[in-house]
Amino acid sequence: MNSYAFSLLFIAFLVATLAVRFWLSSRQIRHILAHRHAVPAQFAEKISLTAHQKAADYTIAKVKLGMVMLVVNAAVLIGFTFLGGLQWLSTTILDLTGPGMTYQIALLAAFAVISGLVDLPFNYYSQFGLEQKFGFNKMTPALFFRDMVKGVGLGAAIGLPLVWVILTLMDKAGDLWWLYAWLVWCGFQLLMLVLYPTVIAPMFNKFTPLEDESLKTRIENLMHRVGFASKGLFVMDGSKRSAHGNAYFSGFGAAKRIVFFDTLLSRLAPQEVEAVLAHELGHFKMKHIVKRIVVIFALSLAFLALLGYLKTQVWFYTGLGVDPQMGASNDAMALILFSLALPVFTFLFSPIASLSSRKHEFEADAFAAKHSSASDLVSALVKLYEDNASTLTPDPLHSAFYDSHPPASLRIERLLTARSA
Ligand SMILES: [Zn+2]
């Protein structure tokens, strides 16, 4: 491949991705507007027209914000690559630091800071403009910036040593550096599975053991029925930031814990909480979590092998608007270019990932129907959709690209037929 051909290929994928994303967004808006006037028959008794229209307006507002971000991100991508942004950044930093590890880490850090600054106004608007307008925001600007400072500190504390190890392997470990880097990466991911629930999440939220005795007994009975041992049931103060409710399940081995958002517990009846948890336990019992980790590890091995090849190809740099530096390592630049180019080449394949995730959701629903109650899960889902103002009438194609969960109507239909069968 020469650099001209690679530039053309990259531009072709970029244009195709942008065109598809805009087309999907406009389909989503049209589809939701076409169904805005009435609650779908299936939900007519459960959801008010006001709630249905709020969900429609909220979803459309999010899609529109997403379209603005698409344009800005594409402009930034072009600025970094073809307009010489990365080239300038690299030369400037090299002048300051000279070649070596400092140059490489400074280049990655500068890139991360600039990308973060581009996202900042959108994140701020999303929280205090959009979420606020629809009554979901519970954050103060002070908390928003405190979170940001903590996030940057944590990112630096974890990211810098990791980047240093990867760059050292790229430099010194020979042609198979990507294989060693992959082992480091997998080890790091597993470590995060343990550290996230026990150390990182508590830096941002308070976790208290579930105290409601009758709910606890109910949940313990369920866990006993399906043969699941957990280190604890926790309630998280999600209401500190948002009115959206959720429940999740984190950690593995001895560090497994179940976390309920306080916003979820305040809204659902005990039998509905049980049904939601049965769904989450379904993911665990049917090995969805392990399967997902295996897929992620396999994909990252393939991508790292690809990066191992690309980093030695001059066209990979010049095709994206960067002249490899003479006398300095280009490894950090290879990482940056790879992180910019990869999503452009993979977006069109995202329905494949959504497909498998949807299959898992249906399986977890069936598990919940079997071990808890289908009708309790249905009423919990209806409440969650209403509280999160998720649209009940998404465009099927948009949903195939973006949604990890099948549309509510399909899930509920399956749950109801499973019950009557
Ligand atoms: Zn699920």
Side-chain angles (χ1 to χ4, degrees):
M1 174 115 41
N2 64 43
S3 87
Y4 184 63
F6 183 57
S7 296
L8 280 182
L9 190 67
F10 177 78
I11 291 169
F13 266 88
L14 180 62
V15 169
T17 295
L18 284 175
V20 169
R21 293 185 76 153
F22 269 100
W23 176 63
L24 290 171
S25 297
S26 66
R27 281 184 61 107
Q28 174 81 331
I29 292 174
R30 271 205 313 275
H31 198 91
I32 292 172
L33 282 178
H35 294 87
R36 192 181 179 279
H37 64 280
V39 182
Q42 197 185 357
F43 300 96
E45 285 155 27
K46 301 180 181 107
I47 286 184
S48 70
L49 182 63
T50 322
H52 172 67
Q53 294 189 331
K54 177 185 174 185
D57 298 342
Y58 176 61
T59 310
I60 289 174
K62 281 200 296 186
V63 171
K64 285 184 175 163
L65 177 63
M67 288 165 94
V68 176
M69 288 174 73
L70 265 185
V71 175
V72 171
N73 287 332
V76 170
L77 176 60
I78 306 258
F80 268 137
T81 54
F82 300 120
L83 297 182
L86 281 172
Q87 178 69 44
W88 175 83
L89 199 61
S90 164
T91 315
T92 309
I93 293 174
L94 193 59
D95 280 348
L96 287 171
T97 62
M101 189 56 95
T102 316
Y103 154 72
Q104 299 210 67
I105 290 192
L107 179 61
L108 279 167
F111 173 73
V113 168
I114 294 169
S115 309
L117 286 176
V118 171
D119 289 339
L120 181 60
F122 292 104
N123 293 339
Y124 190 89
Y125 172 75
S126 165
Q127 194 67 30
F128 298 104
L130 205 153
E131 295 286 313
Q132 181 79 38
K133 185 175 158 202
F134 288 91
F136 292 126
N137 176 43
K138 298 277 182 250
M139 254 185 173
T140 58
L143 179 59
F144 178 86
F145 286 108
R146 209 157 59 232
D147 277 0
M148 195 177 83
V149 170
K150 270 194 229 168
V152 170
L154 199 63
I158 296 173
L160 291 178
L162 180 69
V163 156
W164 180 83
V165 172
I166 303 273
L167 287 171
T168 305
L169 287 172
M170 290 175 90
D171 188 33
K172 304 224 188 313
D175 288 344
L176 285 180
W177 69 266
W178 51 271
L179 191 60
Y180 308 123
W182 178 69
L183 292 173
V184 169
W185 175 248
C186 293
F188 170 75
Q189 295 281 326
L190 293 177
L191 185 68
M192 277 299 132
L193 280 180
V194 178
L195 287 185
Y196 181 79
T198 51
V199 179
I200 298 175
M203 290 171 70
F204 292 89
N205 281 96
K206 223 165 55 215
F207 292 81
T208 42
L210 179 66
E211 272 169 8
D212 184 332
E213 284 303 326
S214 75
L215 182 59
K216 221 164 123 181
T217 314
R218 182 181 268 283
I219 290 171
E220 278 161 0
N221 285 340
L222 168 72
M223 294 200 293
H224 186 73
R225 275 206 305 283
V226 303
F228 178 86
S230 160
K231 267 290 172 200
L233 301 169
F234 291 88
V235 181
M236 188 189 103
D237 59 343
S239 58
K240 188 175 160 188
R241 294 191 176 77
S242 163
H244 294 307
N246 206 349
Y248 71 91
F249 175 88
S250 71
F252 71 118
K256 283 197 302 273
R257 45 171 75 187
I258 291 163
V259 176
F260 298 103
F261 282 36
D262 53 356
T263 36
L264 181 98
L265 292 184
S266 67
R267 263 294 272 166
L268 299 187
Q271 66 273 23
E272 292 168 340
V273 174
E274 179 194 308
V276 168
L277 181 61
H279 170 99
E280 296 303 324
L281 292 180
H283 282 309
F284 181 81
K285 278 283 160 190
M286 308 189 75
K287 307 244 179 294
H288 295 160
I289 297 168
V290 174
K291 280 183 199 162
R292 201 167 60 213
I293 292 175
V294 169
V295 169
I296 289 172
F297 281 2
L299 278 178
S300 41
L301 180 63
F303 287 138
L304 275 166
L306 177 63
L307 176 59
Y309 164 74
L310 290 175
K311 114 177 167 84
T312 61
Q313 306 298 312
V314 174
W315 55 258
F316 175 60
Y317 302 87
T318 50
L320 293 173
V322 174
D323 282 325
Q325 298 282 3
M326 294 298 173
S329 167
N330 293 291
D331 293 345
M333 184 60 86
L335 288 175
I336 293 172
L337 291 176
F338 193 67
S339 75
L340 287 176
L342 192 63
V344 171
F345 288 104
T346 53
F347 174 78
L348 296 173
F349 302 98
S350 38
I352 300 171
S354 302
L355 206 66
S356 108
S357 142
R358 281 152 177 253
K359 187 170 155 271
H360 288 173
E361 293 307 326
F362 281 130
E363 288 173 9
D365 279 350
F367 183 91
K370 185 166 161 217
H371 295 279
S372 181
S373 147
S375 56
D376 288 337
L377 185 56
V378 168
S379 64
L381 283 175
V382 169
K383 280 189 191 170
L384 288 177
Y385 268 82
E386 186 171 349
D387 285 2
N388 290 329
S390 309
T391 180
L392 296 168
T393 57
D395 172 56
L397 257 178
H398 183 277
S399 182
F401 268 85
Y402 290 103
D403 295 345
S404 59
H405 287 60
S409 52
L410 290 184
R411 287 179 72 182
I412 289 173
E413 199 176 282
R414 284 228 193 165
L415 282 166
L416 294 178
T417 48
R419 189 179 48 168
S420 54

